[in-house]
Amino acid sequence: MKLIVGLGNPGAKYARNRHNIGFMAVDRIAADHGFGPWRAKFQGQISEGRLGSTKVLLLKPETFMNLSGQSVGEAMRFYKLTPEDVIVIHDEIDLAPGKCRVKQGGGHAGHNGLRSLHGHIGDSYGRVRLGVGHPGRKEAVPGYVLHDFAKADEDWLDDLLRGLSDGAADLAAGDSGRFMNAVALRTAPPRSSGKAPEPEAAKQAPAPVAEAPDARSPLQKLVDKFR
């Protein structure tokens, strides 16, 4: 069994905040993959289902971001899971908007939700880091992540969430390469050059040779005609 956690803050006030992209991600996965209804448990909201052959519990902690580890730790203990069974989806200011990276273990880089998780379950859980960009100044970060996504962000945000959902079964199965490929097909699809293919005959035929213009005078042409 896998526990996939989306980080965020509860309530309509925070629903479209950059900090809530983790909630948005698990909501999309639940809707696209036929998970059960969300219900209150483990100080959060849970939804159960399957991704491929893997049984999965989706969790949105409702303890507010800074206490996320309380909810995750409670769910882990109930199902007797290890940190390696846990995947946390969260916002990442050190990645450009729309970028996605997968990581196993490591530090919390000052993210308050991850800091709480470190305190409750250790640091060896998996992470899916979703880029939301950086405001440019460290002191502006709290206000930036607690602000709604701009209207201009809607297209890349939708592509990113669709890609996460497309690759969710691979993520649950531990195949990060296939998961990242699924995300990339949505966020950076291959583009054709727009040029029509050249006919094979045209490729093989020699280029025509231009004839030099006839520089002879009319009188010279007449003389040459009767030679």
Side-chain angles (χ1 to χ4, degrees):
M1 180 181 184
K2 289 289 184 182
L3 174 61
I4 300 181
V5 182
L7 294 187
N9 288 308
K13 174 183 176 182
Y14 303 101
R16 297 296 296 173
N17 284 184
R18 294 181 178 93
H19 225 16
N20 271 43
I21 196 171
F23 275 17
M24 297 175 198
V26 292
D27 279 337
R28 177 61 63 92
I29 291 170
D32 288 353
H33 294 273
F35 273 59
W38 292 97
R39 55 194 177 90
K41 199 170 184 179
F42 309 127
Q43 303 179 65
Q45 293 288 320
I46 65 168
S47 178
E48 298 179 70
R50 301 191 81 85
L51 292 172
S53 60
T54 308
K55 185 176 180 182
V56 172
L57 180 74
L58 301 176
L59 171 63
K60 295 187 291 184
E62 292 191 310
T63 51
F64 285 91
M65 183 69 80
N66 294 7
L67 300 175
S68 299
Q70 293 180 6
S71 173
V72 176
E74 191 175 325
M76 283 179 61
R77 289 189 294 274
F78 182 86
Y79 288 105
K80 297 180 173 55
L81 302 176
T82 68
E84 288 75 21
D85 297 320
V86 179
I87 301 167
V88 177
I89 305 177
H90 65 91
D91 59 306
E92 177 57 77
I93 59 171
D94 291 328
L95 287 178
K99 296 296 182 184
C100 174
R101 296 290 183 271
V102 180
K103 181 180 179 182
Q104 190 72 38
H108 55 67
H111 190 291
N112 287 331
L114 301 187
R115 192 195 306 273
S116 176
L117 283 160
H118 276 47
H120 285 270
I121 70 171
D123 63 1
S124 58
Y125 55 91
R127 306 102 189 269
V128 177
R129 305 161 62 215
L130 304 181
V132 297
H134 198 289
R137 303 187 328 276
K138 185 177 180 181
E139 61 271 21
V141 168
Y144 178 76
V145 297
L146 291 174
H147 228 77
D148 286 0
F149 282 104
K151 191 171 180 60
D153 295 327
E154 288 178 4
D155 286 346
W156 70 254
L157 178 59
D158 188 59
D159 287 341
L160 178 60
L161 296 177
R162 286 176 184 273
L164 291 169
S165 181
D166 291 346
D170 297 313
L171 178 66
D175 192 335
S176 58
R178 286 177 65 92
F179 167 71
M180 288 297 294
N181 187 57
V183 174
L185 286 174
R186 289 285 189 178
T187 59
R191 294 175 182 164
S192 66
S193 65
K195 256 177 102 175
E198 192 179 357
E200 199 61 35
K203 292 180 187 175
Q204 296 171 357
V209 179
E211 293 185 8
D214 194 338
R216 294 175 299 165
S217 68
L219 179 60
Q220 185 63 50
K221 288 180 184 178
L222 185 61
V223 171
D224 289 345
K225 184 177 180 183
F226 290 100
R227 279 184 176 172

